[in-house]
Amino acid sequence: LKNRLPAWESLASIKLRLLKISPLVELRVSCKSLLDRDTLNKSDPCVMLMVQNQGQWTELDRTEVIKSNLNPVFAKVLMLDYYFEEVQKLRFEVYDIHGTHSIGTRDDDFLGGVECTLGQIVAQKKMVKPLLLKYGKYAGKSTITIHAEEISGNNGYVKLSFCAKKLDDKDLFSKSDPFLEIYRINDDGTEQLVHRTEVIKNNLNPVWEPFKVSLISLCSCDDERKLKCLVWDYDSRGKHDFIGEFYTNFKEMQADTCGRVSETHPPFFILQLHRVYSFLDYIMGGCQIHFTVAIDFTASNGDPRNSCSLHYINPYQPNEYLKALIAVGEICQDYDSDKRFSALGFGARIPPNYEVKDRFLYTLYRFTCEKNKIQGVVEAYQNCLPKIQLYGPTNVAPIINRIAKLAAGKEPIKDASLYHILLILTDGVVTDMADTREAIVRASYQPMSIIIVGVGNADFTDMQILDGDDGVLRSPKGEPVLRDIVQFVPFRDFKTASPAALAKCVLAEVPKQVVEYFNFALPACGLFSFLDSTRTGSEMLRNIQYNVI
């Protein structure tokens, strides 16, 4: 197989396909204060979701069109696969639709757009952004709100159907045209649209079509979360007449206390739910990813002033250390709310006495400006090179032990919802292999993952043992790791690939490692607000019968 594929493809792409984790994310969109492009009525907005592939924007999906509404809340859910190891660039474009015209055929149809990454939406759960017209001009006071919810097969789906009898007649010459809206009441009191049914024309006893909704979307997997249901008489101008409302919750639905089942609409089925928390459950529940990079400053890298050095700063081309740092850091930075990155070095003599230390902190930056982020660490790396002397040895165990102590809470930084990713960039095989194996075994009990990227053309064969893919890594005394937390990759396998390919490979195992840690550390219940303390165990099995009005 290696003979048939490029070197980087044989190592990275195949491994990625085997390990790829792609949960499904639901995006719910609403807008406020949209521009009014119509003369007689209000705009008829629709939101188009664009994704960027190889620099080109293509349409993935779009919402329904809402007639005559400058503050639309769209019912259609936009769904897409989520990859932690990729920067998934998205663009939301809002258009005013005119009859059967295609979207974007006239400049006047465009109401504004916004670009972001899926990682940013997932990390914030709710993102509010101003809409921009062409050339970066604000579209008045228009804003777009995007809610993200992760839907894994383990969260479960519910199939519901609603009906009504003897509704009020709001029309003068005909009967009402009713439709139903279901809202979830969030912890902060806000209302999130869950579903909007179809309109049934001229009917006071409607039976709406059954629909499927995830438990996450319906009630955040909380049986007692309040649900608000409203019935409206549809008006084509957007001025719908209110018919009535009622409140219920999922627990009442199961007990059939929210109303009598229609004679023409019997109970449905038995549904079996199997709940297992996923990587996105933890991220969206508040878990932060803290990123640390440790860089090899040993003499084997060569004099940084020499163009042959692995640390040489070329103004036109980043060196291999920078390429690896940027590729991985750009993914991780979206999941760290305070953008505080640790940058460590090892193997150098440092001023003023130019002594060799196991590790040294060459900078610790705090960035609030969105455009800086990982770029600040890059600048710190470049600034420290003229001030240090490259020396040796290549000892990484002290670095691993330092981060493990931070993760365990034995250092000043302690946060139960913090997971650490340590990126080690080195140009050779570590000289303290026994101590490194011992450190990794100890670290496997802590909330952390280790990524090692081999830079340069050294023989990294002995480093593969740390990866654990060919067997369980053990300490010198024979103690096995609790879980596999190390990923080793030679950078030369990615020289002809894009930075995204490297990030995919080295970060592909992180979601699984996060879940494995919390399954080990929190076997009975979670530490985050989204984990219901009334549910014990990471897996729950229930039989539920739905009798729904």
Side-chain angles (χ1 to χ4, degrees):
L1 186 60
K2 283 187 176 181
N3 294 331
R4 298 179 184 178
L5 296 171
W8 70 270
E9 176 72 13
S10 63
L11 173 67
S13 188
I14 294 177
K15 188 171 185 179
L16 174 63
R17 286 196 291 269
L18 292 175
L19 297 172
K20 184 168 65 176
I21 300 174
S22 55
L24 202 61
V25 174
E26 288 185 347
L27 300 181
R28 297 178 180 272
V29 183
S30 61
C31 299
K32 283 188 176 182
S33 304
L34 292 179
L35 298 176
D36 192 353
R37 298 294 196 188
D38 293 348
T39 304
L40 300 178
N41 294 316
K42 297 177 181 177
S43 295
D44 305 326
C46 172
V47 176
M48 180 193 299
L49 172 59
M50 313 283 287
V51 296
Q52 190 179 76
N53 292 314
Q54 298 180 344
Q56 299 294 320
W57 291 102
T58 57
E59 179 183 352
L60 179 67
D61 202 354
R62 65 177 67 177
T63 68
E64 76 277 16
V65 178
I66 296 183
K67 294 287 187 178
S68 274
N69 198 323
L70 302 182
N71 300 284
V73 179
F74 298 96
K76 181 175 178 179
V77 177
L78 305 174
M79 307 183 72
L80 66 163
D81 291 323
Y82 165 81
Y83 300 95
F84 169 74
E85 65 273 13
E86 293 185 26
V87 176
Q88 294 176 265
K89 293 184 179 180
L90 307 179
R91 178 171 173 81
F92 296 84
E93 297 183 348
V94 186
Y95 289 89
D96 176 21
I97 305 302
H98 300 283
T100 59
H101 291 179
S102 299
I103 282 183
T105 54
R106 301 187 329 191
D107 288 341
D108 287 345
D109 292 332
F110 184 57
L111 301 180
V114 65
E115 292 184 18
C116 60
T117 68
L118 182 57
Q120 291 170 340
I121 301 174
V122 166
Q124 298 180 34
K125 294 184 67 174
K126 176 184 176 180
M127 175 181 285
V128 182
K129 290 274 193 179
L131 289 174
L132 301 177
L133 299 174
K134 292 184 177 180
Y135 310 112
K137 181 181 178 181
Y138 285 99
K141 297 182 179 179
S142 301
T143 62
I144 185 170
T145 302
I146 307 161
H147 291 263
E149 292 177 315
E150 183 256 348
I151 307 300
S152 68
N154 296 318
N155 285 330
Y157 284 87
V158 186
K159 189 174 183 180
L160 302 175
S161 181
F162 287 78
C163 62
K165 284 190 175 183
K166 300 180 181 179
L167 294 178
D168 288 344
D169 192 352
K170 298 295 183 179
D171 294 343
L172 183 60
F173 299 106
S174 62
K175 297 177 182 179
S176 296
D177 305 323
F179 69 93
L180 172 73
E181 291 182 327
I182 304 172
Y183 288 86
R184 180 187 72 214
I185 308 300
N186 296 319
D187 292 335
D188 60 0
T190 59
E191 299 177 356
Q192 175 65 53
L193 179 64
V194 175
H195 183 77
R196 182 183 293 126
T197 69
E198 75 282 7
V199 176
I200 297 181
K201 293 285 188 178
N202 201 32
N203 195 322
L204 302 182
N205 299 286
V207 179
W208 290 284
E209 288 292 327
F211 61 93
K212 187 173 72 170
V213 62
S214 68
L215 281 179
I216 282 286
S217 294
L218 180 65
C219 60
S220 300
C221 289
D222 178 359
D223 289 0
E224 297 185 354
R225 183 176 295 277
K226 187 178 291 186
L227 301 175
K228 181 180 180 181
C229 303
L230 302 98
V231 181
W232 302 88
D233 176 26
Y234 175 78
D235 182 89
S236 60
R237 298 168 298 175
K239 299 179 180 179
H240 310 304
D241 294 321
F242 177 70
I243 295 178
E245 68 178 20
F246 66 92
Y247 290 86
T248 185
N249 59 46
F250 189 51
K251 186 175 182 179
E252 288 181 350
M253 287 182 176
Q254 296 172 65
D256 191 27
T257 58
C258 63
R260 183 171 59 85
V261 177
S262 167
E263 295 177 358
T264 62
H265 209 67
F268 283 101
F269 55 85
I270 301 295
L271 177 65
Q272 195 174 65
L273 295 180
H274 187 201
R275 177 79 185 273
V276 178
Y277 297 115
S278 70
F279 172 68
L280 276 187
D281 280 326
Y282 293 109
I283 291 295
M284 298 176 74
C287 181
Q288 294 286 307
I289 301 295
H290 184 76
F291 176 66
T292 300
V293 59
I295 296 182
D296 182 343
F297 290 107
T298 56
S300 56
N301 285 279
D303 188 339
R305 295 169 295 183
N306 190 315
S307 61
C308 296
S309 171
L310 294 173
H311 281 302
Y312 178 70
I313 302 300
N314 186 330
Y316 306 104
Q317 175 85 14
N319 61 38
E320 293 185 8
Y321 280 100
L322 286 176
K323 287 180 179 178
L325 169 61
I326 293 170
V328 179
E330 283 190 341
I331 298 291
C332 296
Q333 66 185 3
D334 283 344
Y335 302 88
D336 189 339
S337 61
D338 67 0
K339 312 306 175 193
R340 189 178 180 88
F341 305 114
S342 299
L344 306 174
F346 59 93
R349 287 174 166 173
I350 61 175
N353 299 324
Y354 289 95
E355 297 175 346
V356 177
K357 294 187 178 181
D358 289 334
R359 65 178 187 272
F360 65 90
L361 189 69
Y362 69 80
T363 188
L364 188 63
Y365 273 79
R366 182 181 182 87
F367 298 106
T368 55
C369 182
E370 188 174 359
K371 66 180 180 181
N372 283 331
K373 295 187 176 181
I374 202 65
Q375 185 59 33
V377 180
V378 171
E379 293 171 1
Y381 160 74
Q382 294 172 331
N383 292 335
C384 85
L385 277 174
K387 303 174 184 178
I388 61 175
Q389 292 180 359
L390 275 57
Y391 198 68
T394 310
N395 292 342
V396 301
I399 299 287
I400 297 174
N401 288 332
R402 171 187 167 86
I403 304 305
K405 286 181 180 179
L406 284 172
K410 296 179 181 179
E411 295 275 343
I413 300 175
K414 183 176 181 180
D415 190 339
S417 63
L418 197 62
Y419 193 90
H420 293 259
I421 293 179
L422 171 60
L423 171 64
I424 300 175
L425 305 176
T426 179
D427 79 321
V429 177
V430 298
T431 53
D432 60 342
M433 183 63 76
D435 290 342
T436 297
R437 288 164 54 196
E438 180 72 31
I440 291 173
V441 170
R442 301 276 79 79
S444 68
Y445 289 81
Q446 306 305 330
M448 64 178 293
S449 296
I450 302 170
I451 298 166
I452 305 176
V453 177
V455 177
N457 297 315
D459 183 0
F460 293 111
T461 304
D462 291 343
M463 297 288 281
Q464 300 292 346
I465 190 175
L466 302 178
D467 196 303
D469 287 349
D470 297 328
V472 178
L473 176 67
R474 296 179 180 272
S475 71
K477 297 179 181 179
E479 182 183 355
V481 292
L482 176 68
R483 56 194 181 91
D484 181 14
I485 64 170
V486 178
Q487 176 80 343
F488 172 76
V489 174
F491 184 84
R492 58 174 173 261
D493 290 349
F494 294 85
K495 275 191 173 181
T496 59
S498 67
L502 173 64
K504 281 184 181 182
C505 185
V506 299
L507 292 173
E509 293 188 16
V510 169
K512 181 184 68 171
Q513 292 167 355
V514 171
V515 172
E516 286 177 347
Y517 169 75
F518 286 114
N519 284 343
F520 154 74
L522 313 172
C525 62
L527 293 182
F528 310 114
S529 59
F530 72 91
L531 297 180
D532 186 348
S533 60
T534 64
R535 293 178 168 86
T536 59
S538 61
E539 299 181 0
M540 296 171 290
L541 200 60
R542 300 185 306 172
N543 288 328
I544 301 175
Q545 183 171 349
Y546 301 97
N547 297 332
V548 185
I549 185 173

